[in-house]
Amino acid sequence: APGMNAAVRAVVRCAVSQGVECIGIRRGWNGLITGDIVKLDEKSVSHTINRGGTILYTARSKEFMTEEGQKKAVSTCKFLGLDGIVAIGGDGTFRGATDLTNHGIPSIGIPGTIDNDITATEQTIGFDTALNTALGLFDALRDTAESHARCIVTEVMGNKCGFLSLYLALATGAISVAIPEVQFDREYAIKKIRQAREEYGKRGIIAICSEGLPKVNGKNYGDDFKDQIIRETGIDTRFTNLGHTIRGGNPTLRDRLTASQMGVEAVNHLLENKSNLVMCVHENRITSCDINYALTLDHRY
Ligand code: F6P
């Protein structure tokens, strides 16, 4: 997620300034299993605060979910003499961090995902950037919708969490938004779309559907909704998917700031012998809570 580099940078700079040696583990937990590491000093994180993606790369690790994989990771930790780990990611990452803590390796999590689906924190790193990137794309879509007098049904990422779609619907003036957490009244949405065109002469119409909705008639939810709009209103309608586009790009000020603050606090926590915590934003302040507690919460509208 955008902002992860800012977090890595803050961890490294804070640790090094306190006399702690730092290494980066590449490709997520996979890298810990295979020993794919890189030494990080103050200079190696130079000019990264503004970069999207992650300089450490990432991967989803099935092997780390097994006892065998974890044993390999722990032996890498021992071999390298790691005193603590800062893990940046979503709930899968935190489950890994708690597993490592249980194996005697102190670990702290930093929430990095565009989905904002970590309950314990009001904001995950990457969420703000993804919203702003998507906002620009929606403004561009509106130009076509307006020019061609079209309705554009747009799918937005977010896994099973509707935050991205909901916030974007409010900020773009979408006519409707369908998210996994709330029953979507398709008939009412169709009525509003028809009304907007027939009664108010609205040319460009944007409807948003979240990625996590179930498929309908073998199609993405939004694609099927598009068919229904055409069938029932006759309005020229297109389906489009913002897809992975919103997971990249330079992080916003807000994401850089939160990532930097969390990175520093994560290191300070480890130096104070604290472990198994996840960094959080609560009422605009950086706090932390137990990872196991964070994992049990469900952050959904
Ligand atoms: O968690 C971030 C996210 O981008 C989700 O919004 C999405 O459901 C998922 O990852 C996509 O994963 P992948 O890139 O592996 O297809």
Side-chain angles (χ1 to χ4, degrees), residues 6 31 41 63 83 89 95 105-107 117 126-127 148 152 162 185 208 212-213 240 251 264-265 269 280 294:
D41 58 19
E63 196 180 354
D83 299 309
R95 265 188 278 277
I105 316 287
S107 302
D117 60 351
F127 180 55
H148 288 260
I152 303 185
D185 188 343
I208 297 181
L213 292 158
T240 190
V264 167
E265 287 309 319
H269 277 47
C280 305

Side-chain angles (χ1 to χ4, degrees), residues 100-141:
L100 278 183
T101 306
N102 291 338
H103 282 94
I105 316 287
S107 302
I108 304 266
I110 293 183
T113 163
I114 62 165
D115 302 338
N116 204 33
D117 60 351
I118 311 283
T119 315
T121 181
E122 285 156 16
Q123 185 206 331
T124 57
I125 294 164
F127 180 55
D128 189 61
T129 306
L131 286 173
N132 282 288
T133 305
L135 207 56
L137 297 172
F138 271 107
D139 288 347
L141 278 176

Side-chain angles (χ1 to χ4, degrees), residues 42-54:
E42 281 157 307
K43 223 169 151 228
S44 47
V45 289
S46 193
H47 203 67
T48 58
I49 196 167
N50 55 326
R51 281 170 60 189
T54 158

Side-chain angles (χ1 to χ4, degrees), residues 189-205:
I190 296 275
K191 190 173 140 201
K192 278 189 71 184
I193 290 168
R194 189 183 297 111
Q195 202 177 33
R197 173 59 60 84
E198 290 174 7
E199 292 180 30
Y200 312 126
K202 194 167 173 57
R203 291 179 60 84
I205 299 170

Side-chain angles (χ1 to χ4, degrees), residues 60 113-115 157-159 211 244 247:
R60 307 198 191 277
T113 163
I114 62 165
D115 302 338
M157 265 196 179
N159 202 1
E211 172 200 27
H244 290 76
R247 213 164 70 186

Side-chain angles (χ1 to χ4, degrees), residues 265-285:
E265 287 309 319
V267 171
N268 288 339
H269 277 47
L270 282 174
L271 290 174
E272 287 163 16
N273 290 323
K274 292 181 185 158
S275 177
N276 208 43
L277 297 173
V278 55
M279 303 310 303
C280 305
V281 178
H282 180 62
E283 293 176 351
N284 271 335
R285 298 175 72 92

